Amino acid sequence: MSSNKESTARTLIVALAVSLVASVFVAGSAIYLKPIQEQNRQLDKQRSILAIAGVSGDKLSAQEVRDFFNARIKAEVVDLSTGDIKSDLDPNTFDALKAARDPETSVQLAGSDDIALIKRREQFTTIYRLEAEDGTLEALILPVRGYGLWSTLHGFLALAPDLNTVIGLGFYQHAETPGLGGEVDNPKWKASWSGKTLFDADGKPNIEIVKGGVNPASPDAEHQIDALAGATLTSKGVDHLLQFWLGEQGFGAYLAKLRPQLSPQPSAEGA
Ligand SMILES: Cc1cc2nc3c(=O)[nH]c(=O)nc-3n(C[C@H](O)[C@H](O)[C@H](O)COP(=O)(O)O)c2cc1C
């Protein structure tokens, strides 16, 4: 009887010791891997920004992506209400998604103001400028997000220096159904965005995702994109998120401030 008790106690001690060692190992690995995971997330984001801006990041090594990013991409934090640059905030550490969750640093959206279905919008966000070596703007890369059918799609929209023509649109995170809404990642669909124009002559957002396909002969074709087959709801989500981020609640104020800085100034002779 006593030897039975001894063996149960021994089994319990061994089980306890094994689980202690295992938990120390798991906790240690999590702590050790956290900075590596963070670095990989950062690298994926940088690669995605480059690809959407037309720089084929897939073919670059991790170090080349970092070097290109450091040399040619300038990040800035923008106040979405005023369109001003917040030079007191560091774009490398500022977390716009965290800010969007905090009532102190975000605004609540409701009804027709929340067509992207994001509930809260951060006051400040980070934008990226792809610059030539002399500092000239080659592409402006804006973060965008909005709800599809199952999930919030997070991505970037790259604009040409006319701030109207699309260079690229892509999503780095979503949970839409593969083969349906997940076709937002289809390279052919993504390529169909390039060259489309986003605004009317009066500066109002004008981009539409069309169910049944775009008629290339239509005068509106330059503002239209084919909806994804069998995924009307995700397509609508993408349409709505662009209306939101290009409009007053999104980058409207920032783009309005930037436009006059980029458009050629009338020469003294012509004046
Ligand atoms: C399992 C399942 C997954 C679906 N996933 C998506 C999706 O990711 N995005 C989407 O728009 N529709 C999805 N749908 C289809 C929608 O329910 C809806 O039928 C569709 O958006 C209508 O598009 P259509 O008018 O082009 O057929 C899914 C349907 C099922 C049954």
Side-chain angles (χ1 to χ4, degrees):
M1 190 69 185
S2 88
S3 98
N4 259 356
K5 264 191 192 161
E6 252 174 49
S7 109
T8 309
R10 227 177 271 140
T11 309
L12 283 174
I13 288 167
V14 170
L16 198 68
V18 168
S19 46
L20 254 176
V21 169
S23 54
V24 167
F25 181 74
V26 170
S29 311
I31 292 167
Y32 173 74
L33 291 174
K34 202 165 179 226
I36 299 173
Q37 285 168 338
E38 189 42 49
Q39 264 179 25
N40 285 341
R41 248 196 301 274
Q42 183 74 1
L43 183 66
D44 274 355
K45 197 166 154 189
Q46 292 182 340
R47 211 183 270 282
S48 168
I49 289 172
L50 294 186
I52 292 160
V55 180
S56 106
D58 293 354
K59 296 181 191 94
L60 302 178
S61 70
Q63 195 51 50
E64 284 169 335
V65 169
R66 278 188 211 107
D67 290 348
F68 189 96
F69 212 87
N70 292 338
R72 299 280 305 281
I73 300 276
K74 182 178 174 198
E76 287 180 323
V77 178
V78 168
D79 181 330
L80 288 169
S81 307
T82 63
D84 293 332
I85 302 297
K86 291 284 297 173
S87 33
D88 54 327
L89 291 176
D90 179 357
N92 298 311
T93 52
F94 180 73
D95 184 342
L97 292 177
K98 194 170 163 202
R101 290 191 294 271
D102 183 346
E104 299 265 301
T105 51
S106 62
V107 288
Q108 188 166 14
L109 301 165
S112 60
D113 277 347
D114 192 17
I115 47 170
L117 301 176
I118 55 173
K119 297 193 179 94
R120 304 198 73 86
R121 191 220 71 198
E122 57 279 21
Q123 280 167 0
F124 313 129
T125 194
T126 309
I127 58 93
Y128 302 86
R129 294 167 56 101
L130 170 64
E131 294 186 342
E133 265 150 41
D134 64 0
T136 318
L137 182 74
E138 290 189 341
L140 179 69
I141 303 124
L142 306 175
V144 293
R145 70 178 185 283
Y147 209 76
L149 173 60
W150 308 114
S151 65
T152 300
L153 296 110
H154 294 261
F156 292 102
L157 171 68
L159 305 182
D162 65 0
L163 304 183
N164 189 22
T165 309
V166 177
I167 293 178
L169 171 73
F171 297 97
Y172 62 89
Q173 190 187 311
H174 67 79
E176 302 300 285
T177 313
L180 293 170
E183 289 294 288
V184 287
D185 298 331
N186 185 319
K188 249 175 128 179
W189 192 71
K190 288 201 290 185
S192 73
W193 284 88
S194 169
K196 295 288 172 176
T197 50
L198 296 166
F199 296 96
D200 276 338
D202 62 4
K204 267 178 65 185
N206 181 4
I207 187 78
E208 188 191 3
I209 301 191
V210 181
K211 188 172 174 177
V214 176
N215 171 5
S218 157
D220 293 328
E222 64 167 308
H223 298 292
Q224 295 177 330
I225 292 284
D226 293 346
L228 297 165
T232 300
L233 299 172
T234 304
S235 305
K236 275 210 172 109
V238 175
D239 184 314
H240 289 169
L241 74 87
L242 287 178
Q243 306 299 335
F244 177 86
W245 288 103
L246 295 173
E248 270 175 39
Q249 294 285 344
F251 290 102
Y254 172 61
L255 293 173
K257 280 224 164 121
L258 196 56
R259 265 186 207 108
Q261 296 171 30
L262 295 172
S263 47
Q265 299 301 305
S267 70
E269 270 172 57

